[in-house]
Amino acid sequence: MGIFQVRNLTNEKVFIGQTANLDGMLNRQEFQLRANGHPNKPLQADYNELGADKFTFEILEELEQREGIDLKKELEFLEDLWL
């Protein structure tokens, strides 16, 4: 679990998010963009215009489960920091 980003290599815009499943979410982001179905319309428009080779899908920070930690709050906190 952790924080991820989709980065536009042409203009350096980023889409940052959090998830409990980093590998699954990065796969989902790429699939949605390739299928022209990403909910972030500006990101989708850039992807359609520039092509897949102008985007990277990156893990920014991983969070390990620890006892006594509210993981949802930790993920929200980390996402806010990256934003």
Side-chain angles (χ1 to χ4, degrees), residues 2-51:
I3 308 301
F4 69 92
Q5 78 176 0
V6 178
R7 185 165 48 105
N8 181 327
L9 299 172
T10 301
N11 61 21
E12 295 300 321
K13 290 181 183 177
V14 295
F15 174 83
I16 293 177
Q18 59 164 294
T19 182
N21 180 346
L22 284 166
D23 291 333
M25 181 56 77
L26 290 174
N27 185 52
R28 177 181 176 181
Q29 296 296 309
E30 188 171 7
F31 176 81
Q32 287 178 323
L33 288 166
R34 287 186 189 274
N36 196 31
H38 199 281
N40 185 297
K41 298 307 177 196
L43 173 61
Q44 184 68 64
D46 285 350
Y47 187 88
N48 292 347
E49 179 183 334
L50 300 170

Side-chain angles (χ1 to χ4, degrees), residues 36-79:
N36 196 31
H38 199 281
N40 185 297
K41 298 307 177 196
L43 173 61
Q44 184 68 64
D46 285 350
Y47 187 88
N48 292 347
E49 179 183 334
L50 300 170
D53 62 325
K54 300 295 184 206
F55 290 81
T56 61
F57 301 82
E58 304 165 344
I59 294 172
L60 297 175
E61 192 162 345
E62 291 188 63
L63 182 62
E64 294 184 22
Q65 191 167 2
R66 296 183 312 251
E67 193 169 321
I69 300 295
D70 184 336
L71 294 175
K72 183 173 179 163
K73 284 186 179 182
E74 280 292 310
L75 284 172
E76 288 173 3
F77 175 76
L78 288 174
E79 183 180 27

